[in-house]
Every structure is written in structure tokens, then in C-alpha cells.
Amino acid sequence: MAGEIPPGPPSMGQESIPFWRDGRVLGVLAQIAFVIGFIIVAGWFVSNILNNISSLGSSQFICQDGGFSYRCAFDFMEADAQFDISETPIDYDPSDSYWRALGVGALNTVKVTVLGIIFATILGTLVGIARLSPNWLVSRIALWYVDLLRNTPLVLQLIFLYFSVLLGLPQIDSAIQPLGLPMFISQRGVNLPSFEFMPSFAILMAFIILGIIQAQVLWVILGRQEELTGKESNRLTWAIISFIVVIGIGWIVSSNETNQAVLTPASMRIREFDDFEQIVLNRLDVNQLNDIASDLEEGLITQDQVDEAALKICVLRDAPSETNFTSQLRRADIPYEVKRTTRQDQSTSSFIEGDCEAYVGPTAVIAAERDAMDNIIAATPEDDVVNGGAATMLQLTENPIRLSIPRIEGFNFVGGWKMTAEFTAILLGLILNTAASIAEIVRAGIQSVSKGQTEAARALGLSESQRLRLVILPQALKVIIPPQTSQYLNLAKNSSLALAVAYPDFWNLGNTTINQSGRSIQIILLVMVFYLSISLSVSGVLNWYNRRNQLQER
Amino acid sequence: MERVQKYLNVILNSLKVLIPQRDRMQLDWRRFLGENITYSGWIMAWLAILTWITFSYTTGQLQSAPTGTIVVLMIWGLTVAMTMLAELQKRHTDWTLWMKGNLYNSITNVQVSLLLVLLILAAFRGFYSYAYTNASFADAVPPTEREYETTVEAVAEAGGPNLSRMPANLEFVSPTESITNRAGVVVRETAYILNEDKTVVTVENRDIHTGATWGAVIDNFSNLLIFRYKQPNLVWRVYAVLIFIAVFGVASTFMYRSERLRSSRLLSGVSLFWITSPIIIYQFLLGAGEGGAEAFFGRVSPDNTLGGFLFSVILALMAIVISFPLGVLLALGRRSEVRGIPWWITYPVAGLGMVYLLFTNTPTLLEGARSNFGILLAYWPILIPVVAYGFQRTWEGNVVAAFSTIFIEVWRGIPFITVLFMSIILFPIFLPEGWEVLNMTRVVAGSAMFSAAYLAENVRGGLQAIPRGQYEAADSLGLSNFTKYRLIILPQAIRLVIPAIVGQFIGLFKDTSLVYLVGLFDLLAVANTIASQPDWLGIRTEPYIFLLALYFVCSSAMAWYSRRLERQLGVGQR
């Protein structure tokens, strides 16, 4: 049979196809047609844009020298922004440029996105696990939560949170303190305690690094010994203990290390910190500082008297020495009055003139000032020296990390970490909404691991935590991570809804810039680039992850 | 009646468990403790904390709401006892088995179940008192009508309270005049406000109810639903559309079910009509002819008449209908496998372009550069070969796929709110001078583009799910590319992705609530205007709650329908 087939040229059939039916030719032709069509449409748009811009006047593309050029499209960004921003992670002033204003917005977006992702992941995982809870009520409640959050618009949730929940909270003077914790929830937002890092934290940091290194070394040495002797030596415990010891030494060393001092008039005879207390007590003629409050209530002394007796201190504005000294005074309940000066020499002169009784600053500066003051005093007649002769210097101590607890001072909270109502609304809204989506993803991921895997792990005698860590999670994560990443992306994009609650994120400030400068094209271009670079970089990472994971599949 | 009897029997059977049969009881206390409590110190600590929480919360609830808590406690005690006894006697009924598996499967869950029921009860009670018992349903509050100034003496003479000893600037609420609501709670009382000099007081009537003010929603109900379409010349159009949808909907259901009409031309006509109906309905609502809202069927502008729920629905429907063909085209484009432009064309063209621009454009840019960054930017033509290389590497010269992919990714990469602003601000710049474009049209165009990008990804998923054999079968039948997709591939792919499309429509419907930020009158915008009406100054929560409920009901209904559709179409079952 095979021999009867005439051996024809294999390309016969292809030759007979006319070119207008050849797929390859048609493909190229179609593409050329597409390109031409695209160029025509795009050209029409571009010509319209150019026409419109020139008819709008050259205001959009005006240069600093008054000329007109597309090169100057972003020149206006150098000008003063002239609008105020309520939340600024970096220094900002209305006289700064639009660039800086948008930079503040970008940082605000990043801040809310990063925090949102962290907490949405935690909450979403919890809700997802609750969806699979053996307790019917728990799984129902989790289901209601997911349904309610996913079937209503995010922007509605946001403005409900902002206008109805957060702005409906009590005023600042009757702020809620949940469970008596040092945190305050009020109309102005949430105030949480925070850590403040003092300059001496650098020394502690060095010790932390040292501790990590030596714990690692100990770990390795003990490990070798274990291999040699064959005895278990509890090396994790030893490593942790040695690490803690090193950090403890570091804490003591950096606490003793002071670089701040208080300057007081010699007449006050201050030798140690407690002397401040004695001075105030003598002035008010009471035995204990605690008595002041009760005496005030009984009317034995007036508020004016207390104010007069209060310690008058001078500090440089925003200097770390201020927080150090005032927090010590507060802890001792000593009434004080702070006069903030913007320049060093102003403090000196007001000290000499008797405006302040104590003057806080870096040790070196204070020592120099004291010498200078001694010279002044030595050169002046006795009765001209208001503060009574030369000054004494008191070294201050401080811990490298200090807990800063919020408290009400006047009509505002001071200290701690301030979360404004706007920030709280957008953060909480994004967390709650994204957590609902993440919960479903986590649930699907856990359910995707077959029951046999659990049973196999049990049969191998793995403990509960080993089973989760080594068997279930690695398999579930493969299913969870890709959709989870797209949820993170959604969160980043949804943060642009901050506009609805007046949180100054990138898009909100971009919008303000458009309204103020009228340069809509440039700003929208910037906004697109900003969000696209976030989206594309994250999806790039996601694609890389997927490819890596697919290779491992059987 | 029989049903009731059946349930009664079930209850009685379950309750029988409570009468223990001694011979069937098997309880080894030591083993029970060892298996449930004492096997780990952590568990014991946890149980101690949990018991403490449960106990303190329950006692707290007993004080604040005794009746409900006692009932819950009794039911809880009874069911726990039933479950335990049934377990001990191995005499489970359906109920006790379910409770054992779902409510009381461990000591932790026994307590958690009680806690949760009490919490739900407390939340429900709180919401009930806010939304009903303490709420006001009155149409409007007229406080200004009765506000007048008087003196302390005048109040006393008129039979009011003696205010002379009141501290200044304090409010004194007297129950002499009060109005109660349907639930019997005082909702309006007279307040006396003393001025600083204590001689003049303002007497003011106002709402003092602590719950919701539903009047704001009731009063604005038609505003929220159809906004300005409640005008007599416009409202009949809404009714007409509703009646038409109802009648034609029923009729077409019969048509779809009838055997005779199966795959007839009439039926595809009906389908086509339904698909395009949002645009037709939109045009009908806008009307035709002169006169605007003054005339019976006058043409009105959607920008200042269309609003509320009607607007949200129409916007979402139009956007999805318009985005559908666009999305399908983009999906096909992204998957297209036509032979691309070969590299020996791309690279030389890119190289020549780079050289040409380096010699023509760069010098002028360098002249005007004022910073190092500007100098760097002037050499931008160097990027052309890089882009060309990326284009060849990723898409192998396929222009259509490249365009579709970039289009989809750009639209998917930016937030919807920026899309809306772009469509409002930039739309006119893209069109020739003098073209007037309605805000509505701009927003629909923007939403449709945005939606098309997402829809394209859904359709692409559907296309990927079609087995290769279908393509090959179509090819072997000698079908042209166009026919192959029209008759074989797309019908199957779209059937697969209909649930996803419904899901996307839900998303779009929710997203339309953003248009209030660009100044269009959707549901949310109307709800926001309520807070500035003189009668309902500052009232936001109640309209928002109404909106949340409305969106929730609509979205859930659609999601439910989508799941039903999924079952009917048999997605995932083949």
C-alpha cells in the first residue's frame, strides 16, 4: 500500500494557497492595518489635545521666564504649594513646593497602605480561620462579617466610619479609655502610647548588634560541641540568655551615658534632682507635692499661687533635652512652666535676666555657657546679677528608649502616637474591607489542602504545631499568596478613597494641586505613574513568585 | 398541623434524654478531666481565663438585661445538659448530635457559644433600641417655629418651672410639654436655655430621642430613589419603564421556555434587545423633543435630573453593556497568536528612529536643560531600542497583543476614582474644540473602559478554559477564524464567565457610589445632601444605614442569582 502513494513534493498544498488566505500573511496585514488605525485614532486625539492646549492659552506649559514650551510642563511644581496639610510625616510648610507636598501625600499613602496590609492580613487570617471553626456560631458570625463587608461599597463604609462612628465619639475632654489602658479614643481620633528613641539609643543599638553577633557565635560553638559530644546542650536557651545579658549591659551603659544637663542659679543650691521638688515645696509651704491638689480643692492655695511657684525652665524648641527633663518633672509631679526659645543665645539671655530658673541643653553647650556666664558675672557689679551669682550644673540621666504616654494638655493631646480621625477612618475602613476578602482567600487556601495530608501528618506522629508549620501551611500558602497579593494591590489602590474622608494621601493632594494650579494633565500623569509603578512592581513580583512556584510543581 | 406534631415529637424525643437511664450511663470522671482539662497547663490557664470572662460578662448582662439573659441561660443550660446526657447515654437524636458537633464540641466552645449568644443579643438589643424604641419617625422637626425669647418671670407665670436658681448657660429640660413616638418614648420636649445675664431665656422645642431619626430617610425616600425624576413630567417615564420591564420580562421568560421558539430568530432578537436595553431605557428616560422637564416627553439633560438609585443602576448597566464587546475584543487581542512583526524589521526601525531623534531632538533638549536630570532626560531616544527589545521579547512582535495587554494593565493598575476624575477633567481635552460632552457620558465612558479591562481578564480566563480540542475541531471543519470564534469558542467561553461577569457587575454597581466625588448625583450624593437640609441638619447616620441596607440587599440578591446561574449553566461540573 505504502508504495502506491506517489511521492509528491510536500510543499505542494501550501503553494496552492492564495496569499489572501495565508494565515501568516493575513496576520501581518491585520497588524499593519491595526497600527495604521491606531496611529489615525491616536493622532486625532493628540491633535485635539494640542489644539485644546493652545486654545486654553499657554498657561499649562508656561516657563519661569514667561515663555511657552512643553519642556516647562512641570516647572509649576517648583512654586509654593500654599495649602496646609493636616498630617505630615516629614517637615512641610505651605511655603514648600508642590513637589514636597506631593511627596508628603505619597508618604501618607505608603503609611496607610503598609499598616493596612499588616493588620488586614492578621484580621483576615483570623476571620478566615473562624469561617472554618467547628463552632457553628463563630463560623456564622464570620460569614456575616464577610458578606456585609463585601456586599456594600467601600466608600460608603469609609464615610459611615468617619461621620457616624468616629465623629460621633465623645469630645476630647471625655475621651474613652478602653479597659483603663493608657490610650484615648475621641472625636479627634486615637492616641496610643509610643516609644521615643533618645540620642543614646545609638549606643544601645550597637549593643544589640553585638548581642546578635555573639548569640550567633555561641549558637555555632555550642552546635559544634553538640556534634562532638553527642549531648544536647540547650543552645537556644543559652543564646537567648546571653543576648539578653548583652542588651541589659547596653541598657545600663547607655542610660548612664548622659549628654544633657540643667543649669541653675547658684542661689538655688541644686545638687540633685530631688532639690527641685524641695524648692517648689518651700515656695508653696506644703509638706508634700500630693498635698497641692487637695489644698487647691479646699481653697488653701490658689491656682495663681501654684503657677507662680512653678519651676520656670527654658529649652530650645524641639530639643531632646526638653522631653527628657519635663518628663522627669512630670513623673515627680513637680509643677513647671516651659519657655521655648528658638535660638541658643536667647535662652542664655533670658536665664541671665531671670526669666528662667533652669536651663536645659546638651552637656557641652551648658558647660560652655556656664563658663561664659561666670565671666559675665565676674565682670558685673554684684547688684546687677539677678540670679545671684554663678550657676551650678546638674547632669541628667535618660534611658535610650522612653515610653511616651499621651495626655491632655489644654485642648490637645501631647505625647504618644497620634492617629487623627481621618487616618483612623481610612485605615480602619481599608483593614475591615480587605480583611473580608482575605478571609475568603485564607479559607479557600486551607480547604484546598486535602484531609489526607492532615491524616498523614498525624500518622507520622507530628505535633499539632509541626503539622501546621510543615505540612498544611506550605501547601495552603501556594494557593493563598497569588490572590492575596492582588488584594494588597487593591488595598493600595483603594487608599485613594482617602479623598472621601479628607485624609491627605497622594491622590487627595494631587487633586488639591489640580484645583489650585489648574495643571490637570501633568498631575493626572503623575498620579497614573505613581499608582502604576506600585501596581506593576507588585504584579511583577507576583509573576516571578508564580513562575518559581510552578517549577516546583510535580 | 401534621408538621407541628412532627416537630413536637422531635422536641419530646430530644427531651427524653433528660431522664437518665442509669444502666446506660458511662462516665469516667478521671478520664474526662484528663482528656479535656488537665492534659496541659496552658489549657488549664486558658480555661480559667475564659471561665472568668464568661462569668463576669454573664453577671454583667444579668444586671443590665435580666429577662433576656435568664432565658438565654436557661436554654443554654438545658441544651448543654441534653447534649451531655445524650453523649453519656449514647442516645443521640438529630438535635443533640448537631449541637454536639456544632455548638458544644469542647469546654471552650460550650462557653464561647454562650458568650456569643449573649453578645449577639446585646448587639441586637442595642440596635433595636436605636432603630425602633428610641427612634423618631416624625416627618420633620419644627423647632424654629416655637422658639422665642422670654424672661425667667414669664416662664414662671406661664406655669413653667422656677428657673431663677438655675446656673447660667445650663440647659433645663422640663417635661411639661412632650410628644411621644409610636413606641411610647418621649421624642420631643421643651428646653429652657438661660443666657449669661440670667434674665433672658430661650424656650426651644427639640427632639431629645436618643435613637435614629428615620424621618430624614422617609422624607427623602423618593429623592434617594429617583431624585429629580419625581417631577410629574418625568416620573411617568420611570413607571412606564418598570411596567414595560415587568410585562416584557414575563413574556420573554415564556419565550425562552417555549420549545417551538428554541433557537429561532425571534429569540435572538429578544436577547439582543435585553442586552442593549439599558441604553434604550436611558434614552427613553431622557425623553425627546422640546420643552425639557416642562413638557410631557421633553428632552432633559441627565446631569441635573438623573440621580439617586436610578442613576446608580443605569450607570452600572450602561457601563457593563458597553464594556462587554470591548472586553471580549481585548481578551481576544491579548490571546491573539498571529505572526508578529519580525525582529529584522523592528530592530532596524528602532535603531534608525533612535539615531534620528538623537540628532534632531536631543540637541534642542540639551539647550533648554537646567539640571543634570534634564541633561539625562535629553538622551531619552536611547530607550527606544530597549522598548523594542522588550516588545520583541514579550510579544514576539505581535502589535495587537501588546496593545491589548498594555491597555488592560494600565486600566487595571490605576484606582477607579482617578479614572472618574480623568474622565471628567481630561475627556474634553481629547475631543475637538466645541464638542459638548455631558458629565454622564464622560463617566459612562470612563467606567466602561475601566470595566472592559477587568472584563477582558475574565473572558480570557474563560477562553483559556476551553479545551484545545474545540479549536482543533473547528479548524478541521474548515471554519474561518471569525466563524470559529463566533460559533464555537465564544459561546462556550462566555457561558463559562457569566457568573464572573455578574460578579463584576456587582462590583461596578458598588463602585458607582464613587461618582459623588466628581459631582454627580448618585445615591451617596443625595444622602449627603440630606445633612444640609434645614429640617435634617447634620443627619448622616440614618441615610447611610439605609444605603448600606439597600446596597447589601441588591448586591446579595445579585450574588445569589449569580450562584444560581452558575448551577444552572453547570459551570465547574464538566
Side-chain angles (χ1 to χ4, degrees):
Chain A
M1 286 288 277
E4 285 173 3
I5 294 170
S11 57
M12 206 59 168
Q14 283 178 6
E15 272 173 20
S16 66
I17 293 177
F19 76 92
W20 62 85
R21 294 196 60 182
D22 187 337
R24 286 175 299 177
V25 178
L26 276 180
V28 173
L29 282 180
Q31 293 203 51
I32 291 169
F34 182 83
V35 170
I36 291 171
F38 179 75
I39 288 173
I40 289 172
V41 174
W44 187 65
F45 279 140
V46 170
S47 76
N48 284 335
I49 293 172
L50 296 182
N51 270 335
N52 283 320
I53 285 171
S54 53
S55 72
L56 275 173
S58 47
S59 66
Q60 291 260 341
F61 300 99
I62 205 146
C63 292
Q64 274 161 349
D65 55 10
F68 168 85
S69 164
Y70 294 108
R71 275 203 312 273
C72 304
F74 286 95
D75 277 10
F76 77 97
M77 294 287 283
E78 313 278 349
D80 293 356
Q82 287 175 350
F83 53 79
D84 212 1
I85 302 177
S86 55
E87 287 180 76
T88 51
I90 50 170
D91 283 342
Y92 169 81
D93 191 82
S95 61
D96 283 328
S97 68
Y98 282 118
W99 283 119
R100 196 163 178 92
L102 286 187
V104 170
L107 283 177
N108 276 336
T109 295
V110 170
K111 184 169 105 178
V112 82
T113 306
V114 169
L115 284 174
I117 284 175
I118 293 170
F119 288 109
T121 310
I122 296 171
L123 182 64
T125 311
L126 287 179
V127 177
I129 292 169
R131 284 275 275 119
L132 297 171
S133 161
N135 192 322
W136 180 78
L137 279 170
V138 174
S139 68
R140 277 287 110 167
I141 291 172
L143 181 66
W144 291 339
Y145 169 81
V146 171
D147 269 0
L148 188 67
L149 269 286
R150 291 203 350 163
N151 282 332
T152 47
L154 173 60
V155 65
L156 186 55
Q157 293 164 15
L158 283 176
I159 58 176
F160 181 77
L161 262 177
Y162 182 61
F163 286 110
S164 301
V165 178
L166 288 166
L167 295 190
L169 285 170
Q171 298 278 339
I172 196 161
D173 45 4
S174 50
I176 306 169
Q177 243 187 314
L179 303 172
L181 292 169
M183 55 187 282
F184 298 89
I185 301 171
S186 73
Q187 235 180 27
R188 299 267 187 90
V190 181
N191 293 70
L192 298 168
S194 68
F195 290 110
E196 266 177 43
F197 297 99
M198 294 290 111
S200 59
F201 180 71
I203 298 164
L204 184 67
M205 195 64 220
F207 272 90
I208 290 175
I209 294 167
L210 193 76
I212 292 172
I213 293 170
Q214 71 92 30
Q216 292 255 348
V217 170
L218 197 70
W219 173 270
V220 171
I221 290 172
L222 287 178
R224 284 219 185 117
Q225 215 158 33
E226 248 175 54
E227 271 171 30
L228 283 175
T229 57
K231 274 184 203 157
E232 219 176 311
S233 64
N234 249 341
R235 52 183 180 158
L236 183 67
T237 322
W238 282 115
I240 290 172
I241 288 173
S242 68
F243 180 67
I244 290 171
V245 166
V246 171
I247 288 193
I249 295 169
W251 181 270
I252 294 163
V253 170
S254 55
S255 295
N256 281 338
E257 188 69 28
T258 55
N259 54 3
Q260 274 140 36
V262 194
L263 201 63
T264 48
S267 59
M268 278 170 81
R269 292 195 183 79
I270 303 282
R271 293 283 168 267
E272 52 181 17
F273 189 79
D274 289 346
D275 292 343
F276 284 118
E277 185 181 343
Q278 203 51 51
I279 283 176
V280 176
L281 290 180
N282 288 343
R283 282 180 190 166
L284 282 171
D285 200 18
V286 287
N287 292 330
Q288 273 185 319
L289 284 172
N290 293 344
D291 295 347
I292 296 176
S294 56
D295 283 4
L296 263 175
E297 258 173 42
E298 286 168 25
L300 292 174
I301 48 172
T302 59
Q303 186 63 46
D304 291 345
Q305 277 177 314
V306 176
D307 289 344
E308 206 170 302
L311 213 61
K312 274 122 197 123
I313 54 176
C314 280
V315 283
L316 281 180
R317 191 178 294 277
D318 297 329
S321 46
E322 177 194 350
T323 41
N324 183 353
F325 189 49
T326 51
S327 72
Q328 284 197 46
L329 290 172
R330 263 203 310 282
R331 217 173 298 144
D333 272 335
I334 300 172
Y336 65 89
E337 229 180 80
V338 185
K339 186 178 174 195
R340 290 180 185 84
T341 51
T342 39
R343 291 207 318 272
Q344 187 80 41
D345 53 319
Q346 285 177 346
S347 328
T348 323
S349 58
S350 48
F351 181 75
I352 290 169
E353 283 159 21
D355 287 353
C356 353
E357 300 164 321
Y359 167 26
V360 203
T363 309
V365 177
I366 290 290
E369 294 286 314
R370 182 176 60 170
D371 294 345
M373 247 176 260
D374 284 347
N375 291 337
I376 295 170
I377 288 157
T380 39
E382 197 83 341
D383 50 320
D384 274 7
V385 182
V386 187
N387 267 327
T392 49
M393 195 171 101
L394 178 74
Q395 287 272 322
L396 286 174
T397 58
E398 64 169 9
N399 293 330
I401 305 172
R402 206 183 30 233
L403 190 67
S404 170
I405 289 170
R407 62 178 198 287
I408 301 171
E409 219 170 70
F411 297 107
N412 269 313
F413 277 103
V414 177
W417 188 43
K418 245 175 276 185
M419 282 167 61
T420 59
E422 292 78 32
F423 176 71
T424 316
I426 182 82
L427 182 66
L428 210 60
L430 288 177
I431 290 171
L432 292 177
N433 191 279
T434 314
S437 306
I438 289 180
E440 287 299 278
I441 292 166
V442 169
R443 180 188 59 87
I446 295 175
Q447 278 181 335
S448 74
V449 182
S450 69
K451 226 180 156 64
Q453 296 287 326
T454 312
E455 286 159 2
R458 286 220 179 103
L460 283 174
L462 297 184
S463 77
E464 201 77 346
S465 75
Q466 278 176 324
R467 180 170 65 82
L468 260 182
R469 212 178 61 229
L470 302 174
V471 181
I472 308 293
L473 270 187
Q475 298 186 59
L477 278 183
K478 236 182 224 182
V479 183
I480 289 171
I481 285 181
Q484 186 108 319
T485 322
S486 70
Q487 284 306 321
Y488 292 161
L489 264 184
N490 273 345
L491 190 145
K493 282 188 280 172
N494 284 338
S495 71
S496 60
L497 293 185
L499 188 68
V501 293
Y503 173 69
D505 78 324
F506 190 76
W507 169 236
N508 192 355
L509 294 182
N511 198 30
T512 315
T513 309
I514 292 178
N515 289 336
Q516 206 161 61
S517 65
R519 309 307 210 278
S520 46
I521 301 174
Q522 292 94 319
I523 296 295
I524 283 186
L525 218 79
L526 275 181
V527 169
M528 279 179 73
V529 168
F530 178 74
Y531 284 107
L532 273 179
S533 54
I534 294 180
S535 297
L536 293 184
S537 53
V538 173
S539 61
V541 171
L542 176 68
N543 284 342
W544 168 82
Y545 176 87
N546 275 347
R547 236 175 289 134
R548 218 194 74 184
N549 251 23
Q550 270 170 1
L551 283 178
Q552 293 172 345
E553 256 173 29
R554 276 172 297 175
Chain B
M1 211 52 214
E2 264 177 40
R3 251 203 168 156
V4 176
Q5 221 163 18
K6 206 177 116 194
Y7 278 118
L8 272 175
N9 272 335
V10 172
I11 293 172
L12 286 174
N13 274 331
S14 307
L15 285 175
K16 264 185 204 164
V17 182
L18 286 173
I19 308 155
Q21 295 179 345
R22 283 210 156 256
D23 49 323
R24 294 180 73 160
M25 292 274 267
Q26 297 165 350
L27 177 62
D28 185 349
W29 274 109
R30 199 165 291 170
R31 197 177 141 200
F32 176 80
L33 285 177
E35 275 177 0
N36 290 292
I37 300 172
T38 51
Y39 68 93
S40 144
W42 291 112
I43 292 294
M44 281 163 69
W46 157 247
L47 282 179
I49 295 170
L50 186 66
T51 313
W52 178 75
I53 293 172
T54 315
F55 182 75
S56 51
Y57 186 72
T58 312
T59 43
Q61 287 293 302
L62 267 175
Q63 277 159 7
S64 61
T67 5
T69 315
I70 288 172
V71 170
V72 167
L73 271 176
M74 277 167 62
I75 294 173
W76 176 75
L78 191 73
T79 47
V80 169
M82 270 163 67
T83 316
M84 278 176 71
L85 286 168
E87 176 69 13
L88 287 173
Q89 298 168 40
K90 297 277 173 265
R91 258 200 337 175
H92 276 297
T93 60
D94 287 353
W95 285 26
T96 53
L97 207 59
W98 185 83
M99 287 192 292
K100 183 201 159 194
N102 294 299
L103 291 177
Y104 308 133
N105 44 9
S106 69
I107 294 182
T108 304
N109 273 334
V110 167
Q111 300 189 38
V112 167
S113 298
L114 173 66
L115 263 181
L116 284 177
V117 170
L118 286 178
L119 275 171
I120 292 169
L121 202 70
F124 179 75
R125 205 187 300 117
F127 186 74
Y128 184 74
S129 72
Y130 166 79
Y132 188 70
T133 22
N134 289 333
S136 143
F137 295 84
D139 276 355
V141 193
T144 44
E145 284 169 29
R146 309 195 47 168
E147 191 178 316
Y148 55 96
E149 289 199 331
T150 181
T151 58
V152 175
E153 292 77 33
V155 172
E157 271 172 33
N162 183 6
L163 299 170
S164 55
R165 301 183 77 184
M166 286 273 297
N169 277 337
L170 264 185
E171 294 177 12
F172 182 75
V173 177
S174 149
T176 45
E177 279 176 72
S178 61
I179 299 168
T180 51
N181 75 355
R182 279 176 230 178
V185 172
V186 177
V187 294
R188 194 174 301 160
E189 283 184 345
T190 311
Y192 298 92
I193 302 161
L194 277 83
N195 288 11
E196 261 171 59
D197 53 2
K198 270 197 179 185
T199 52
V200 181
V201 287
T202 310
V203 182
E204 195 178 273
N205 290 300
R206 55 201 179 134
D207 266 19
I208 58 142
H209 63 92
T210 52
T213 312
W214 291 121
V217 176
I218 298 166
D219 210 25
N220 283 290
F221 198 68
S222 55
N223 269 336
L224 284 166
L225 289 189
I226 53 176
F227 196 49
R228 301 239 167 91
Y229 262 76
K230 60 184 184 179
Q231 294 169 43
N233 280 331
L234 298 174
V235 73
W236 71 267
R237 302 178 198 180
V238 181
Y239 287 134
V241 166
L242 287 178
I243 292 168
F244 176 77
I245 288 176
V247 171
F248 196 63
V250 171
S252 49
T253 317
F254 278 115
M255 284 196 220
Y256 281 116
R257 291 221 175 133
S258 108
E259 283 294 321
R260 242 168 3 118
L261 286 173
R262 188 162 289 254
S263 67
S264 69
R265 263 174 193 279
L266 181 65
L267 212 57
S268 38
V270 170
S271 302
L272 194 70
F273 174 79
W274 274 121
I275 290 169
T276 51
S277 62
I279 298 166
I280 298 167
I281 288 172
Y282 172 63
Q283 291 302 331
F284 176 77
L285 284 173
L286 292 188
E290 305 272 306
E294 307 296 317
F296 181 65
F297 195 58
R299 181 84 176 172
V300 290
S301 160
D303 282 353
N304 44 30
T305 47
L306 205 56
F309 188 62
L310 187 68
F311 173 87
S312 301
V313 171
I314 283 187
L315 174 57
L317 278 172
M318 292 228 293
I320 201 98
V321 164
I322 295 171
S323 70
F324 186 72
L326 213 61
V328 171
L329 279 180
L330 282 170
L332 291 175
R334 190 167 182 175
R335 270 177 64 85
S336 78
E337 282 166 356
V338 284
R339 175 88 172 274
I341 298 169
W343 61 269
W344 43 264
I345 296 181
T346 318
Y347 290 157
V349 168
L352 283 176
M354 175 186 77
V355 173
Y356 175 74
L357 285 168
L358 271 179
F359 278 100
T360 54
N361 190 271
T362 306
T364 46
L365 284 178
L366 277 176
E367 247 170 63
R370 275 162 294 121
S371 61
N372 287 337
F373 186 63
I375 294 170
L376 206 67
L377 272 188
Y379 290 100
W380 69 272
I382 294 172
L383 287 176
I384 296 176
V386 178
V387 172
Y389 174 74
F391 168 62
Q392 283 293 339
R393 216 17 240 284
T394 321
W395 291 290
E396 289 162 354
N398 189 338
V399 186
V400 180
F403 173 78
S404 307
T405 311
I406 291 172
F407 186 92
I408 291 171
E409 291 307 325
V410 166
W411 285 98
R412 273 159 49 95
I414 53 178
F416 187 51
I417 178 73
T418 55
V419 172
L420 287 177
F421 270 84
M422 267 166 63
S423 56
I424 290 286
I425 299 172
L426 291 190
F427 210 89
I429 299 179
F430 276 92
L431 294 177
E433 232 177 304
W435 282 29
E436 289 285 324
V437 190
L438 290 167
N439 277 349
M440 176 77 182
T441 317
R442 300 180 196 184
V443 168
V444 167
S447 317
M449 293 279 195
F450 183 77
S451 161
Y454 282 85
L455 211 124
E457 288 298 273
N458 282 336
V459 174
R460 193 164 71 104
L463 288 173
Q464 269 171 351
I466 305 294
R468 238 198 126 75
Q470 295 288 327
Y471 291 87
E472 283 158 5
D475 284 340
S476 67
L477 281 175
L479 298 181
S480 74
N481 238 347
F482 181 72
T483 327
K484 178 173 79 177
Y485 274 99
R486 193 172 70 90
L487 294 178
I488 313 284
I489 309 300
L490 277 179
Q492 296 187 62
I494 287 169
R495 209 177 71 145
L496 276 180
V497 296
I498 279 178
I501 292 172
V502 176
Q504 208 198 319
F505 175 73
I506 298 172
L508 202 61
F509 173 63
K510 288 190 293 170
D511 279 347
T512 54
S513 54
L514 287 178
V515 298
Y516 90 97
L517 289 170
V518 292
L520 277 116
F521 271 89
D522 81 315
L523 257 176
L524 214 49
V526 180
N528 280 333
T529 60
I530 294 176
S532 52
Q533 291 172 2
D535 277 349
W536 313 109
L537 220 52
I539 288 184
R540 285 173 180 273
T541 308
E542 291 79 4
Y544 288 162
I545 290 178
F546 172 69
L547 254 59
L548 281 172
L550 187 62
Y551 272 111
F552 180 73
V553 169
C554 292
S555 304
S556 307
M558 282 190 282
W560 171 81
Y561 180 69
S562 155
R563 278 196 293 272
R564 214 185 72 147
L565 210 62
E566 207 168 329
R567 268 202 305 279
Q568 272 181 356
L569 296 171
V571 178
Q573 285 172 9
R574 40 211 333 267

